[in-house]
Every structure is written in C-alpha cells, then in structure tokens.
C-alpha cells in the first residue's frame, strides 16, 4: 500500500498491499505540477488469503536525492530532511523489499504472491516513472497488481465511483473498527487495508482478486490504417518534445501507462521534419486520464505539455493506405531508422553496403523502403528495419558517413513517421502550391507613414479577436473594418502580437494612452502607436523592435515587394475551375476584368509562404480570406503576352528559383501532373532580365 501526492491535494492515499502481500509507497508532496512525485517511504505487510494469516509489518525510508520535503508533507508525515538524507537509495530498498517479502511468504506457507494497491497512482504514476528516471530495472512483481478500489467496487457497486474511494471510506462502508490512535505515518493505512482485504475475502463473490491489472514492460510498435476507428477518450497530444526524441523516448516519458500497439505518432512539419509534438494512443480512457496528470513533467531538461486529442487526429497522422508500407511494417519488434540525403541513383545494394555487415538490415533488401515521388523519382529518403537495439545503435554510428560524394543522415524513426512521409509524397501533387484557390483580398492595406495603427504586444496566447475588442473598450468603435490583424509565428500559433488599424492617428494615440499596460487575462499588454508601413513590414515577415524596423527575410532581395502599397487597386481573378470546387457562399464577389491588360494578382497557398517566412495575419472580423497576400506579375512577362491569353483567369504562373541549366523538358516534367498539352509548349518563355551576376538573381520562367 502506499501514499502518493497528487496535484489535486497534498497527499493522495494510494496503497500497495497484495493478494498475499501489502505494502506502502509514499511519494513526496507536489509543490507544483512541474515536479514529478517521488518515493520516500515503503511500508508493506503480507496476507495469506487461504488461512487469513498476516505477516510482519515492515517500514523503510527511501533517500530523497533531488527534492526536499514540502511543508505539507513534513507536517503530515513527521519526516525530516535529515532522516531521508540518511536513508537507503531506492534500488537497495527494493532489494530489501523483495527479500523480506519472499521470507514472509515462505513463513506463511509459500506460493506465488501478487501486489494489491489502493488505486493505480502509486505504481503507475510514482514508482515506475521514478525507476525509469533512475534507470532501475524493477522485478516482475511490480508489473501486475490488484486495484483494491476496483475490487471493493465490484462487491459494493452502490458506493461512490472507484476513483473516489479511499482506505478510510472503504473501512467506513464495511463498518470496520480501526485504531484511530495510530500516529505512525503510513502504518494506519496498511493495517486498515489488511482489514478491508480480509473482509472482502470472506464475501461470496468468487470473482474478486481474479483479474490483475497489468503494466506493460515494453512499448510495441505497429502500423495503423486509415480505416481504424480510434476512441477519442484514449488519445493525448504531447508538446515540447526534444527534436531528437524517438517513440521509445515518448513511451519512457509515459512509463507505467499502457500505450496501445503502435500508439506513438511523432508529428512532422511541412518540411518533413519533427515539430516537437506527438500523438499518443492509450489502451483505455483511464490510462489517458493518468497521462493528462503528467502535464509539465520533465523529459530531461524540457517540460512536456500534455493535452487531450481526438482519435481522428491520431488516424490522420499515423494512418496509411499503402500496401507497400503495410508489408514493410508487418514485421513486429523491429527498430526503424530513417536515412536522409541518399543519392538519387542509390539502390538497395548501395544502402546495404553503406551500412555494412556489422549492422545487418532485417530481410536484406526487403527491409528497406525507398521514398519516391508520385512519378517514381527518388526523394533521397529511405527507411530501414533492424532486429534489435544493438544493431540499430551500430547503424546510427554511421550518421553522416559518406555514400559516394554525399553524407547520409540517420535518425530513429517510427511507424507513424513512415506513414506520414509516404502519405505526403503519395497524395501531394508535384506543385501543391498551385492547388490553393485564388481569392481576392477584400480590403486594401495602403502604405503610409502616418501613425494611424496601434500595436498590441504581450497578448496571452489564448487571446481571441473578441478579447482584443473587449480589451480596447470604447476605442473598439474606432477600428476600421477588417482592421484587426493577429500575428502568427512560423508554426502558425499566436505570437502574442497584434496590429489594429484605427480611423485616424488621433484615435490611435488616444487608444494607446488609454489601454497601455492594461491587464488581459493576468498579463499586462503594451499598446504603442505605429504606422501602416511598419505594420505591413511585420505582416510580410519583417521585424519591428525598439532598435528599429528590419525588412522581411526574403531569400531574393531583388524580388522583394516594397510594401502593401502595391496591393491597392490590383483586381484578383478567380479561376473558373475554383467555382466548381467551392460553394458560392465561400467566394467573394468576382472582380471585373479590365478592358486593358493589367497586372494579374495571385495568392500563394498556405504551403508557399513566399514572403511570409515567419508571420501571417489572422482573419479579421467580420470576414477575411485565409490567405496572407499576393504578388504582382512582372511587367516584362506581360509585355510579350497575347491579349487573348491575359483574358483567361489564372492563365499565368510564375516560377522562381529555376536552375540556370533547366531546359524546356525539365519545366514540362514539373507540370506533368497537370497535363500540359503539347500545343502549349510554345507558351513557355524566359523572362528578360538586365545583366546580373549569378549570386544576384536566379533564372525565372513564366508559364502561360
């Protein structure tokens, strides 16, 4: 039996007796949810169920190495920091526990024994996580146990839910007399639990103490299908993971909880790299609820945020439909590594030769999975299977080794990552940025130096536009239509900044004076006036600090748009094929096509991020497009363009960053998925640029 603290109260009384033994673990009080509970006391007593005999009660202190006792724990337990500093370490106490339990069991008649706990907190949330942090190997005894609360509730279903039961309430419901004078910390709980166990054994229910709880010793990998149905009450999202963490690291963070087979899905960003998040699927909702209690516990030096997630999110990340991937992942208990940077000409023989005979791949060439584009071209990525951890470690030592003239990167991977990478290349078109609908911006952002805007700095990350309007109070009536712009970071999350367009400079100054350093959700917010030009620079990816204004981080300086001033009167055209994909209610009124050729406006899709490398603005009320801006077509590209071509909406596409060695066939291969007709080959034309060095600008093409 045991005592463990929980964030909900100073101490959560959790016991650890047994079908044939009883013990107690005491976890230190949690000062905050940032600290994991620790074992400081172990008390146990053996019970023989057939003869109803009881063994000697034992009590052992455990050395507290990293955390001092909290005042609440010191007051309730009567333990001092000096006594804990002189105690034995956890591994030695567990050795003594095993020896004394075996001796007491032998004295009472021998036979197998099983732990029994008052709830699941002690073993799952205290002992197993701490043993994992200290790299201790627990005996098999600690991987199966009876939950006394659940056993009691089976025989007395009319009582309160099992999770709300305590040792005291169980004894009270049974009418048991307990020694209220016992003041030795932990001893009263153990004695009371022994009395409850003996009373339950005398009952008529033969199902008691017949189905023990099991703690999984090892995380099992496995594939997930898009057709799988995952319960929403079994999934959590972990955020803040180290970039190099693997599924085994995530499983170790949740040590003591039963993760479903293949239930760890590391999330990837748009570039195919891990973004520090993972979705974890547990076997039941009770395990999920225990996992949520590890919110802001630490993995190394980083604290991990744990939130609820849905089964649909898990299947979206971890599920797949490829038979090739299913066959590759059908081998169980395999360690998966990802190889990145392979030469495009590399085949199975080259990869196996690179890894060498000291780290053999499971199944040889069948244990390799090459990632390819939809047209069959290699991407330079591959996955390999290894039979054991030692072989995988030997392969990881080949990290950044040379294959031909290229160095190869090796990383730990997961089944979910294999699915994500293959899904991305199998379902995405060759030019995913061309699939985004072209929608017009309904409001202009004219450039100017007048300080008719205000910048809100230090907003809570949970702040919404409604919160901002409430924060501004009476000044909200002076906001221009569509004038609220929330700045997002590179991951698409709120950055804590926002820009507000006011009716005039005077109104902006008045709002700043009235609202500067007012509190929103326990945070004070700075409100400072700024100009439209400064706002435009930040929304385009630049920065605005006390030291001045920095331009947007454009890769090509010669192509950088000056400000939003170029967006004032440019009509955006909606392709006819877009209207077939989107209902009329989702499209804004179509702009008229001018009689004379005018620059065509194009919105980049969400994956393009042409000049929005770091920020984007949030849709403002009452309605705004979800895109972030557009660029105009170069005039040189329109000079030689037939008027009949310009009259066709969406007929012009600009390609940037084309290699100087690219020819007509290279460009056509890019547009292969879009079925460019042979008659249109002549519509590819290079843009005439003034003489420049290679470092100044790349070659550009316009496709009509």
């Amino acid at each position: 039996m045991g005592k463990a603290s929980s964030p909900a109260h100073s101490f959560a009384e959790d016991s650890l007796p047994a079908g044939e033994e009883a013990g107690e673990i005491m976890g230190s009080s949690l000062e905050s949810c940032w600290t994991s509970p620790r074992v400081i006391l172990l008390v146990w007593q053996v019970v023989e169920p057939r003869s109803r005999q009881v063994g000697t009660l034992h009590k052992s202190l455990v050395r507290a190495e990293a955390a001092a006792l909290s005042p609440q724990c010191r007051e309730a337990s009567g333990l001092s920091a000096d006594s804990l500093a002189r105690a034995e370490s956890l591994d030695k106490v567990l050795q003594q526990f095993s020896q004394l339990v075996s001796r007491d069991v032998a004295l009472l008649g021998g036979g197998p024994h099983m732990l029994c706990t008052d709830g699941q907190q002690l073993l799952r949330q205290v002992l197993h996580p701490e043993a994992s942090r200290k790299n201790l190997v627990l005996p098999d005894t600690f991987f199966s146990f009876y939950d006394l609360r659940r056993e009691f509730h089976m025989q007395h279903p009319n009582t309160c839910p099992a999770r709300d039961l305590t040792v005291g309430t169980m004894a009270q419901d049974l009418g048991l007399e307990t020694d209220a004078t016992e003041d030795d910390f932990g001893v009263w709980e153990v004695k009371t639990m022994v009395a409850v166990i003996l009373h339950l054994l005398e009952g008529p229910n033969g199902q008691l103490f017949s189905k023990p709880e099991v703690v999984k010793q090892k995380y099992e990998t496995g594939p997930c299908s898009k057709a799988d149905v995952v319960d929403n009450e079994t999934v959590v999202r972990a955020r803040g993971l180290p970039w190099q963490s693997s599924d085994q690291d995530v499983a170790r963070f949740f040590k003591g909880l039963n993760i479903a087979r293949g239930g760890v899905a590391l999330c990837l960003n748009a570039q195919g790299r891990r973004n520090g998040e993972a979705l974890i699927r547990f076997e039941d909702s009770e395990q999920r609820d225990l996992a949520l209690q590890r919110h802001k516990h630490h993995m190394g030096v980083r604290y991990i945020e744990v939130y609820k997630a849905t089964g649909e999110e898990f299947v979206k990340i971890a599920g797949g439909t490829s038979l090739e991937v299913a066959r590759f992942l059908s081998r169980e208990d395999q360690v998966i590594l990802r190889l990145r940077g392979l030469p495009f000409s590399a085949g199975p023989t080259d990869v196996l030769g690179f890894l060498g005979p000291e780290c053999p791949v499971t199944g040889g060439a069948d244990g390799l999975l090459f990632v390819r584009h939809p047209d069959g071209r290699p991407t330079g990525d591959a996955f390999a299977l290894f039979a054991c951890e030692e072989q995988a470690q030997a392969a990881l030592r080949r990290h950044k080794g040379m294959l031909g003239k290229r160095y190869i990167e090796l990383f730990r991977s997961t089944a979910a990552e294999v699915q994500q990478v293959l899904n991305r290349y199998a379902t995405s078109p060759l030019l995913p940025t061309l699939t985004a609908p072209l929608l017009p911006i309904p409001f202009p952002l004219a450039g100017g130096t007048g300080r008719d805007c205000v910048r809100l700095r230090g907003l809570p990350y949970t702040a919404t536009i409604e919160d901002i309007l409430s924060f501004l109070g009476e000044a909200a009536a002076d906001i221009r239509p569509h004038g609220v712009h929330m700045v997002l970071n590179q991951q698409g999350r709120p950055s804590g900044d926002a820009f507000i367009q006011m009716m005039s400079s005077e109104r902006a100054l008045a709002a700043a004076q009235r609202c500067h350093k007012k509190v929103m959700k326990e945070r004070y917010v700075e409100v400072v006036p700024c100009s439209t030009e400064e706002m435009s620079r930040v929304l385009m990816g630049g920065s605005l600090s006390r030291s001045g204004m920095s331009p947007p981080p454009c890769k090509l300086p010669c192509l950088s748009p000056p400000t939003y001033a170029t967006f004032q009167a440019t009509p955006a055209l909606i392709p006819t094929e877009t209207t077939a994909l989107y209902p009329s209610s989702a499209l804004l009124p179509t702009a008229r096509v001018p009689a004379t050729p005018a620059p065509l406006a194009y919105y980049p899709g969400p994956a393009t991020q042409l000049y929005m490398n770091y920020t984007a603005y949030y849709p403002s009320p009452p309605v705004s497009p979800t895109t972030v801006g557009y660029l105009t077509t170069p005039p040189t590209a329109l000079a030689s363009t037939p008027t009949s071509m310009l009259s066709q909406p969406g007929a012009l596409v600009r390609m940037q960053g084309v290699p100087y060695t690219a020819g007509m066939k290279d460009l056509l291969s890019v547009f292969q998925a879009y079925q460019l007709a042979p008659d249109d080959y002549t519509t590819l034309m290079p843009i005439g640029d003034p003489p420049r060095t290679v470092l100044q600008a790349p070659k550009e093409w316009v496709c009509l």
Side-chain angles (χ1 to χ4, degrees):
M1 147 163 112
K3 254 182 197 296
S5 59
S6 75
H9 46 273
S10 298
F11 302 100
E13 299 182 0
D14 293 315
S15 310
L16 204 164
E20 296 185 358
E21 75 178 316
E24 170 163 354
I25 297 175
M26 164 65 196
S28 65
S29 171
L30 284 181
E31 302 258 349
S32 70
C33 62
W34 291 60
T35 307
S36 303
R38 298 181 182 277
V39 180
I40 63 172
L41 179 64
L42 185 68
V43 183
W44 70 93
Q45 191 171 18
V46 175
V47 177
E48 211 296 312
R50 292 179 294 273
S51 63
R52 308 296 195 268
Q53 291 180 294
V54 179
T56 306
L57 188 143
H58 302 276
K59 179 177 180 179
S60 296
L61 288 177
V62 180
R63 183 188 307 160
E65 300 175 348
L69 287 176
S70 67
Q72 298 93 333
C73 181
R74 188 181 296 110
E75 179 182 356
S77 65
L79 301 175
S80 64
D82 294 337
S83 62
L84 291 176
R86 295 191 301 268
E88 297 288 347
S89 60
L90 179 60
D91 57 338
K92 292 184 178 180
V93 172
L94 292 178
Q95 292 177 6
Q96 297 173 4
F97 172 83
S98 299
Q99 295 171 1
L100 293 175
V101 166
S102 299
R103 188 194 66 181
D104 290 351
V105 169
L107 291 176
L108 295 178
H113 56 274
M114 180 77 67
L115 298 177
C116 180
T117 69
D118 174 25
Q120 305 195 25
Q121 291 275 353
L122 282 176
L123 283 181
R124 295 191 184 276
Q125 298 286 69
V126 182
L127 182 59
H128 279 282
E130 183 168 359
S132 178
R133 287 193 300 269
K134 296 180 177 180
N135 294 319
L136 302 180
V137 179
L138 293 175
D140 293 341
T141 305
F142 294 99
F143 288 90
S144 58
F145 63 98
Y146 292 118
D147 183 351
L148 183 58
R149 299 185 185 185
R150 185 166 293 175
E151 301 294 336
F152 180 88
H153 195 268
M154 287 178 59
Q155 194 172 85
H156 301 273
N158 295 327
T159 59
C160 62
R163 62 178 179 272
D164 298 330
L165 291 171
T166 64
V167 176
T169 57
M170 287 187 286
Q172 184 178 0
D173 291 341
L174 295 176
L176 301 177
E177 295 183 1
T178 58
D179 186 5
T181 62
E182 181 63 63
D183 58 354
D184 192 0
F185 184 63
V187 173
W188 179 85
E189 286 85 354
V190 171
K191 291 182 177 180
T192 305
M193 290 184 64
V194 170
V196 172
I197 291 175
L198 292 176
H199 189 280
L200 293 178
L201 291 173
E202 294 174 356
N205 194 341
Q207 299 298 323
L208 293 178
F209 301 106
S210 60
K211 186 178 180 181
E213 305 287 332
V214 177
V215 180
K216 283 189 174 182
Q217 299 192 33
K218 183 181 178 182
Y219 168 66
E220 301 176 353
T221 61
C224 176
S225 172
K226 289 286 188 183
D228 291 349
V229 178
V230 179
D231 187 0
N232 291 334
E233 301 300 321
T234 61
V235 183
V236 301
R237 178 184 296 271
R239 181 180 297 168
L241 299 170
W243 308 115
Q244 70 276 15
S245 59
S246 65
D247 56 345
Q248 297 295 338
D249 298 321
V250 176
R252 185 174 182 179
F253 175 79
F254 290 103
K255 189 70 174 180
L257 306 180
N258 292 344
I259 300 176
R261 182 172 179 267
V264 178
L266 299 174
C267 302
L268 306 181
N269 59 19
Q271 289 74 39
R273 302 177 184 272
R274 296 172 186 171
N275 62 5
E277 295 187 4
L279 293 170
I280 302 93
R281 176 188 179 188
F282 294 92
E283 290 188 342
D284 53 54
S285 59
E286 186 176 10
Q287 304 292 312
R288 194 281 302 268
D289 294 339
L290 293 175
L292 291 172
Q293 296 178 14
R294 301 197 185 183
H295 179 61
K296 290 192 175 180
H297 284 198
H298 280 74
M299 178 187 290
V301 298
R302 298 176 63 92
Y303 73 86
I304 308 301
E305 300 174 352
V306 183
Y307 304 99
K308 292 182 180 180
T310 65
E312 182 180 355
E313 291 176 312
F314 181 84
V315 173
K316 182 179 180 180
I317 295 297
T321 57
S322 172
L323 295 179
E324 182 183 13
V325 177
R327 286 193 297 268
F328 177 76
L329 298 175
S330 61
R331 299 178 177 88
E332 298 183 358
D333 299 327
Q334 298 291 312
V335 182
I336 306 175
L337 296 186
R338 181 180 180 181
L339 292 82
R340 192 165 60 196
L342 294 170
F344 293 154
S345 59
T349 304
D350 302 312
V351 175
L352 295 176
F354 167 77
L355 295 173
E358 62 275 7
C359 41
V361 177
T362 302
D366 293 336
L368 295 174
L369 178 64
F370 290 87
V371 184
R372 301 183 182 278
H373 288 287
D375 59 354
R377 293 181 295 113
T379 64
D381 280 22
F383 295 92
L385 297 176
F386 296 89
C388 60
E389 186 67 28
E390 291 73 17
Q391 295 178 0
Q393 288 289 349
L396 287 172
R397 287 193 284 269
R398 296 286 295 154
H399 179 59
K400 292 195 174 182
M402 300 299 295
L403 177 57
K405 296 182 179 180
R406 298 179 62 89
Y407 72 87
I408 310 303
E409 298 175 291
L410 285 90
F411 308 94
R412 289 182 176 274
S413 187
T414 65
E417 184 173 353
V418 176
Q419 298 279 25
Q420 288 182 79
V421 173
L422 269 295
N423 288 343
R424 175 174 287 109
Y425 284 105
T427 59
S428 299
L430 295 179
L431 286 180
T433 60
L434 297 181
T435 61
L438 309 181
L439 300 177
I441 289 182
F443 57 95
L445 288 177
T449 58
R451 306 179 71 81
D452 57 349
C453 302
V454 293
R455 180 184 186 185
L456 277 63
R457 189 164 50 201
L459 292 169
Y461 294 143
T462 58
T464 63
I465 293 180
E466 289 73 16
D467 295 328
I468 293 177
L469 298 178
S470 176
F471 171 81
L472 293 176
E474 296 179 357
D478 300 326
I479 300 176
R480 292 185 181 181
H482 308 285
V484 181
H485 310 275
M486 298 185 71
V487 183
L488 309 181
N489 61 17
Q490 190 175 8
Q491 286 75 38
R493 301 175 187 164
S495 65
D497 282 19
F499 287 92
I500 313 295
Q501 291 180 280
M502 309 299 291
M503 292 296 186
S504 64
S505 301
E506 292 76 13
R507 301 292 177 86
L509 179 61
Q513 293 175 344
R514 185 183 303 114
C515 302
H516 184 56
K517 291 194 174 180
K518 279 181 57 178
V519 175
M520 178 192 297
K521 296 184 178 180
E522 300 181 355
R523 291 177 63 95
Y524 77 86
V525 180
E526 298 178 358
V527 183
V528 294
C530 67
S531 67
T532 306
E533 180 183 4
E534 292 171 336
M535 179 187 68
S536 301
R537 286 293 182 97
V538 174
L539 296 182
M540 291 290 287
S543 62
L544 179 62
S545 61
R546 293 180 178 87
S547 59
M549 182 170 56
S550 301
C554 300
K555 296 181 179 180
L556 305 174
C558 62
L559 299 177
S560 175
T563 60
Y564 275 102
T566 57
F567 303 160
Q568 293 184 25
T570 305
L573 302 180
I574 304 178
T576 54
E577 59 269 18
T578 303
T579 59
L581 299 176
Y582 294 85
S584 57
S585 58
L587 299 176
L588 296 171
T590 306
R592 294 182 179 180
V593 179
T596 57
L600 300 180
Y602 292 90
Y603 285 79
T608 311
Q609 299 289 326
L610 289 177
Y611 297 102
M612 321 305 174
N613 293 338
Y614 298 94
T615 57
Y617 57 78
Y618 189 89
S620 304
V623 63
S624 289
T626 58
T627 50
V628 293
Y630 63 88
L631 304 175
T632 56
T633 305
T636 54
L638 297 171
S640 57
T641 306
T643 305
S644 59
M645 185 64 66
L646 291 174
S647 63
Q648 301 178 19
L652 197 62
V653 176
R654 179 180 181 180
M655 301 177 63
Q656 296 181 184
V658 179
Y660 279 90
T661 57
M664 193 79 68
K665 293 183 178 179
D666 300 315
L667 297 178
L668 294 177
S669 65
V670 174
F671 289 93
Q672 182 178 358
Y674 297 91
Q675 300 179 356
L676 186 66
D679 298 340
D680 296 334
Y681 289 175
T682 56
T683 61
L684 294 174
M685 61 180 181
I687 296 178
D689 282 338
R692 295 171 179 159
T693 65
V694 175
L695 296 178
Q696 284 180 318
K699 187 177 182 180
E700 299 179 10
W701 289 77
V702 171
C703 304
L704 305 179

